[in-house]
Amino acid sequence: MNNPFDPSHIQEEKAEREARRLRLRSNLLIALFCAALLGFAAVLYQTQIVNGDSYLTNSDERDLQREGVDSVRGEILDRYGRVLVSNEVSYNVELDWDAMGADRLAILTQLLDICREEGVSWSETLPISKTAPWTYTTDTPLYFVSVTEEGEEDAIPTSLGRLVKECGWAKDVTKAQLTAGGLLSTMCQTFGVIEKVTPPKAPSKELVGMVTAAGQALGLADEGGSITQADRDLAGVLYELYLRRYEVNNNPYIFARGVGITFITKVKERGLNGVRVEVSTSRKYSTSCAAHVLGYTGAIPAESSEYYKELGYPMNATVGRDGVELAFESYLHGSSGTRLIEKDQNDNIISQEWQTLPEPGSNVVLTLDISLQSTVEDILAQYAARQEEPGGMAAAVVDMSGGVLSLASYPTYDLSTFWENYAELAGDTENRPLYNRATQGLYAPGSTFKMCTAVAALSEGVITTREKVECTGTYTYYPPPYQPHCWNLWGHGNDNVTKAITDSCNIFFYDVGRRTGIAQLQGYAAKFGLGEYTGIEINEYKGWMAGPEASKHFGQEWYEGDIMNASIGQGTSLFTPLQLANYVATLVNGGNHYQCHLLKELKSSDYSQVTQVCEPALVDTIDIDPEHLAAVKQGMYDLSKTWSMARYFDALPVEVGCKTGTAETSSKAASTNAVFVCFAPYDDPQVALCLVAEGGDAGGSLAEIAAGILAQYFSTGSSLNAVPAENTLLR
């Protein structure tokens, strides 16, 4: 009999229990392994047998694309480091023709419905009104006329004109007589928006005198009357897609910018093929001022696509289109990146890999003082509001080295809503808010030119500072009937050059201008930068200095007596306000003519270092005798102390020198423009200013504006807002 307490027996039972546990675990592991094996086999069967064809097709249709990625644009700041333009993250909607496939119309219809529900505006450039009755929104919808350097006219098709030709709606756009309604009907038929009308094989008697078969074929018969608002909206979007299909425009179609999360959710829920939501950055404006200077950004223009392509830009890049954004594009843009993207047949991104990372652009610091700029724009707007018939206005403020402190044009616009209001802004041909009058407005300088005449005559020894010319009110050097008058018909008596500038005596400058000669006047004007490019980085016009060449350009004869008009800033002399401001700066700094510039310096994208500093560029030097300069400046100073000027300037903390001008114009809206130039402080000039008011009275009417601008500049407001220079990263 076995002893249950026998140690050997206890060991046997323990070993038997361990063996049973081991067998149980082994069986469980085998069962789990078999289950996993069966599951794996089932997945393989499902993948290879059941869905094999589908996966094979999907694999074959995967697309590997190399995509350019735009870099983040640099910021734009004023001279004191205040941010004017920066960036913010936004979501843009892009449309892809091929990815939409045969369901294109249905997809676009749903997309537009979502836009209406969410109040999202979309982008399209079809130059036909967006509401009935259908009319063209531009005077040249199919082509515009360009004049070559040889003076020959050349008809250039617009984007719509090129599409009209590509689609066969007209063989020659320069001869096409397509009404907006008829063309819209034809487009809607071609796009499949409405049912295509089949013209009769031959015109019946009932149609004689009404329409022709060709007219019906083009949809001219109903003038677009059958087109609904929804049809017009759909046609506008399809127009953009067709431009890209026919390679009239090679840029990606950005349907909408800055859409919200609700809009994105609705688009995703409906699974609209070919409608992509891309993360992007858009410009954020911290100021509503300086629109003409800062400029705007947009898609790459079709005519510049090859240029930007050679620079390595992706075709969906945002580039500067005007102003500083365009002028400093190479600094602001940085370097674009590239990535490889793998997509399936439904245009879904499967994987992506960076080849080159984009590098952000540099930050551009301007010479502008945005506080001064804001003051100037406000003052111009207030002055215009007081006028019965306000015209355009312009102001330019520069320092002695050509740095532009303020550059204002009125009326102006808001950059933050530029693209939304573009059609309205571009269509305002009366006020022309997009026109930068400060650098592109050409105005006769009037009496503000008399300092140039004085310097030329003094420097060439024609007169001395003490020589006097008698003014009786009429200049009698030439026999009647050509005997021009002074503005003061009673005469100024005997004036030397200083008194003649203060009195603005025409007779004095008629005489010394005639004796100096037009060639010398032209030479000194050019040295002062009048009728010459200032060198500013944004778009500007050159203008004209009166003389035989200018008269020929304007289709006029040049006569000997015309030099007298030229001597007092009339005739064919046309300068920009910026040229006039820099001319005064050149005069009072002793004759050093500097190139105008907006760039102060460049800073790295993280603001850690200054990468480039703009040094003033000396264009020319006028050797003005100190005695001559003192005599001319004294005349400008004495003018500021006359009763009509002193009431504005005496309250300033600095002394001022100034000159008024009243310039004749051929404008139908007004007979004269008011021009005013000044500088301050008198003893140690820092700034020069020019103001122009279209349709204004005498230039003296602008003295109040000039005093307000100088008061702002010489106050502590601007400098106190500067970014601290110690222990900070300077903006």
Side-chain angles (χ1 to χ4, degrees):
M1 184 175 181
N2 294 331
N3 184 358
F5 301 102
D6 185 3
S8 61
H9 180 72
I10 293 174
Q11 290 295 329
E12 290 176 0
E13 287 183 349
K14 186 177 180 181
E16 187 176 346
R17 286 196 301 272
E18 289 294 333
R20 285 198 301 269
R21 290 194 188 97
L22 182 60
R23 286 194 298 270
L24 181 61
R25 290 172 182 160
S26 299
N27 291 336
L28 183 59
L29 288 174
I30 292 172
L32 290 175
F33 177 75
C34 291
L37 189 62
L38 288 173
F40 183 65
V43 171
L44 287 176
Y45 178 81
Q46 183 75 12
T47 302
Q48 297 292 334
I49 306 301
V50 178
N51 296 324
D53 293 340
S54 175
Y55 283 116
L56 179 61
T57 302
N58 194 16
S59 176
D60 290 340
E61 294 185 1
R62 288 186 180 180
D63 186 20
L64 187 64
Q65 299 177 356
R66 178 178 284 103
E67 182 181 77
V69 180
D70 204 10
S71 55
V72 177
R73 290 181 75 80
E75 297 182 337
I76 302 175
L77 306 90
D78 85 337
R79 67 188 300 114
Y80 295 115
R82 292 170 287 209
V83 177
L84 308 179
V85 186
S86 55
N87 302 294
E88 61 182 356
V89 176
S90 63
Y91 296 92
N92 298 338
V93 179
E94 295 186 12
L95 301 185
D96 188 326
W97 170 279
D98 294 324
M100 289 182 183
D103 297 330
R104 190 172 298 109
L105 290 179
I107 291 171
L108 292 178
T109 299
Q110 293 183 66
L111 180 61
L112 291 175
D113 286 342
I114 297 174
C115 287
R116 297 184 188 100
E117 291 171 7
E118 296 299 318
V120 172
S121 59
W122 60 90
S123 172
E124 52 101 335
T125 59
L126 177 61
I128 295 178
S129 59
K130 295 184 178 181
T131 57
W134 316 118
T135 57
Y136 288 119
T137 57
T138 175
D139 294 334
T140 57
L142 300 182
Y143 70 96
F144 62 92
V145 177
S146 174
V147 180
T148 64
E149 292 185 5
E150 292 75 21
E152 298 178 356
E153 293 186 351
D154 186 19
I156 309 296
T158 62
S159 294
L160 177 59
R162 292 173 63 187
L163 185 63
V164 164
K165 190 173 181 180
E166 289 287 347
C167 292
W169 300 331
K171 293 182 179 179
D172 188 345
V173 295
T174 63
K175 298 179 180 179
Q177 301 294 321
L178 304 177
T179 64
L183 179 58
L184 185 57
S185 293
T186 303
M187 294 175 67
C188 287
Q189 293 174 40
T190 303
F191 298 161
V193 176
I194 63 174
E195 187 176 351
K196 192 166 187 178
V197 178
T198 303
K201 294 182 179 179
S204 60
K205 293 181 179 180
E206 289 77 10
L207 292 175
V208 174
M210 297 173 60
V211 294
T212 64
Q216 265 196 332
L218 287 173
L220 297 177
D222 72 353
E223 292 293 322
S226 62
I227 306 300
T228 66
Q229 184 63 58
D231 294 336
R232 166 61 184 84
D233 292 344
L234 193 55
V237 177
L238 285 164
Y239 166 71
E240 294 292 340
L241 291 171
Y242 266 77
L243 288 179
R244 288 153 179 83
R245 182 187 180 193
Y246 284 102
E247 298 184 351
V248 175
N249 186 335
N250 293 319
N251 295 326
Y253 180 22
I254 301 179
F255 171 79
R257 298 176 183 271
V259 297
I261 193 65
T262 306
F263 178 90
I264 297 171
T265 301
K266 289 187 176 182
V267 169
K268 294 294 185 182
E269 286 176 348
R270 300 198 188 185
L272 303 179
N273 291 336
V275 180
R276 297 199 302 266
V277 179
E278 301 285 349
V279 180
S280 181
T281 56
S282 59
R283 288 310 235 177
K284 178 181 179 181
Y285 300 96
S286 302
T287 178
S288 59
C289 303
H292 295 96
V293 177
L294 297 175
Y296 50 87
T297 59
I300 294 175
E303 63 273 14
S304 304
S305 58
E306 288 301 319
Y307 168 76
Y308 284 108
K309 187 175 181 180
E310 291 178 0
L311 294 177
Y313 280 53
M315 287 298 97
N316 63 345
T318 296
V319 299
R321 298 285 294 269
D322 190 39
V324 165
E325 293 276 19
L326 173 60
F328 303 136
E329 170 65 25
S330 60
Y331 303 138
L332 292 166
H333 182 263
S335 300
S336 300
T338 56
R339 62 182 173 184
L340 289 175
I341 295 179
E342 187 178 12
K343 296 181 179 181
D344 62 15
Q345 60 179 345
N346 295 322
D347 204 40
N348 297 315
I349 296 177
I350 299 172
S351 65
Q352 58 179 337
E353 178 185 349
W354 284 101
Q355 286 190 313
T356 306
L357 290 173
E359 295 182 6
S362 298
N363 298 307
V364 172
V365 181
L366 303 179
T367 59
L368 281 185
D369 176 351
I370 198 59
S371 180
L372 179 65
Q373 178 76 21
S374 177
T375 297
V376 173
E377 291 191 16
D378 287 345
I379 290 176
L380 293 186
Q382 292 169 15
Y383 177 88
R386 298 200 303 263
Q387 308 307 304
E388 293 183 3
E389 296 183 2
M393 299 186 67
V397 184
V398 300
D399 63 28
M400 294 299 104
S401 66
V404 177
L405 301 170
S406 175
L407 203 61
S409 178
Y410 178 87
T412 184
Y413 57 95
D414 190 344
L415 283 170
S416 63
T417 58
F418 173 75
W419 286 112
E420 291 85 344
N421 300 331
Y422 177 76
E424 179 182 350
L425 293 170
D428 189 353
T429 56
E430 180 178 357
N431 297 310
R432 298 188 294 171
L434 298 180
Y435 175 49
N436 186 358
R437 290 169 166 83
T439 61
Q440 296 173 286
L442 295 176
Y443 306 97
S447 294
T448 62
F449 184 77
K450 289 175 179 176
M451 289 87 74
C452 179
T453 303
V455 170
L458 289 166
S459 299
E460 296 301 317
V462 175
I463 58 170
T464 66
T465 57
R466 295 177 179 81
E467 183 177 340
K468 296 181 179 180
V469 173
E470 183 182 9
C471 171
T472 61
T474 302
Y475 189 55
T476 58
Y477 177 81
Y478 293 103
Y482 188 63
Q483 292 186 335
H485 299 283
C486 185
W487 67 268
N488 184 347
L489 297 179
W490 291 271
H492 290 103
N494 293 315
D495 274 0
N496 62 11
V497 66
T498 298
K499 191 71 164 53
I501 290 174
T502 303
D503 291 341
S504 198
C505 178
N506 289 346
I507 301 302
F508 180 94
F509 289 99
Y510 286 155
D511 191 59
V512 299
R514 176 189 61 79
R515 290 155 59 188
T516 302
I518 190 61
Q520 294 290 359
L521 288 182
Q522 287 179 318
Y524 278 87
K527 289 183 177 182
F528 277 117
L530 296 173
E532 304 290 333
Y533 290 115
T534 68
I536 194 168
E537 297 92 339
I538 62 177
N539 193 23
E540 66 169 334
Y541 289 166
K542 183 179 179 182
W544 291 90
M545 171 59 199
E549 300 83 1
S551 293
K552 182 179 180 181
H553 172 78
F554 290 107
Q556 302 173 9
E557 290 289 333
W558 172 261
Y559 299 99
E560 180 185 348
D562 289 338
I563 192 175
M564 290 187 292
N565 271 337
S567 301
I568 63 169
Q570 303 288 354
T572 53
S573 289
L574 296 172
F575 310 137
T576 68
L578 181 59
Q579 287 177 357
L580 289 169
N582 203 37
Y583 143 65
V584 174
T586 301
L587 171 69
V588 299
N589 75 16
N592 294 317
H593 173 204
Y594 288 97
Q595 177 177 299
C596 288
H597 60 99
L598 282 163
L599 180 64
K600 182 174 182 285
E601 60 190 16
L602 298 178
K603 294 190 175 183
S604 59
S605 59
D606 60 357
Y607 289 101
S608 62
Q609 58 182 327
V610 175
T611 58
Q612 182 178 324
V613 176
C614 178
E615 297 293 341
L618 185 62
V619 179
D620 210 338
T621 300
I622 308 170
D623 186 14
I624 305 177
D625 186 283
E627 180 187 355
H628 299 162
L629 178 58
V632 172
K633 287 178 61 181
Q634 185 67 46
M636 299 177 72
Y637 174 79
D638 291 344
L639 177 60
S640 74
K641 293 302 179 181
T642 59
W643 176 84
S644 60
M645 300 292 153
R647 54 179 172 160
Y648 302 118
F649 294 125
D650 279 356
L652 295 177
V654 294
E655 300 289 350
V656 178
C658 64
K659 187 71 189 79
T660 62
T662 304
E664 296 178 356
T665 174
S666 60
S667 171
K668 296 180 181 179
S671 59
T672 61
N673 292 329
V675 186
F676 187 90
V677 297
C678 63
F679 69 93
Y682 176 74
D683 293 328
D684 182 22
Q686 295 178 24
V687 294
L689 165 65
C690 173
L691 291 164
V692 175
E694 296 174 1
D697 296 325
S701 63
L702 301 178
E704 181 182 4
I705 299 180
I709 294 172
L710 293 176
Q712 167 63 26
Y713 179 79
F714 288 104
S715 72
T716 58
S718 296
S719 59
L720 285 178
N721 289 331
V723 175
E726 294 183 7
N727 301 320
T728 60
L729 286 177
L730 290 182
R731 284 183 173 273

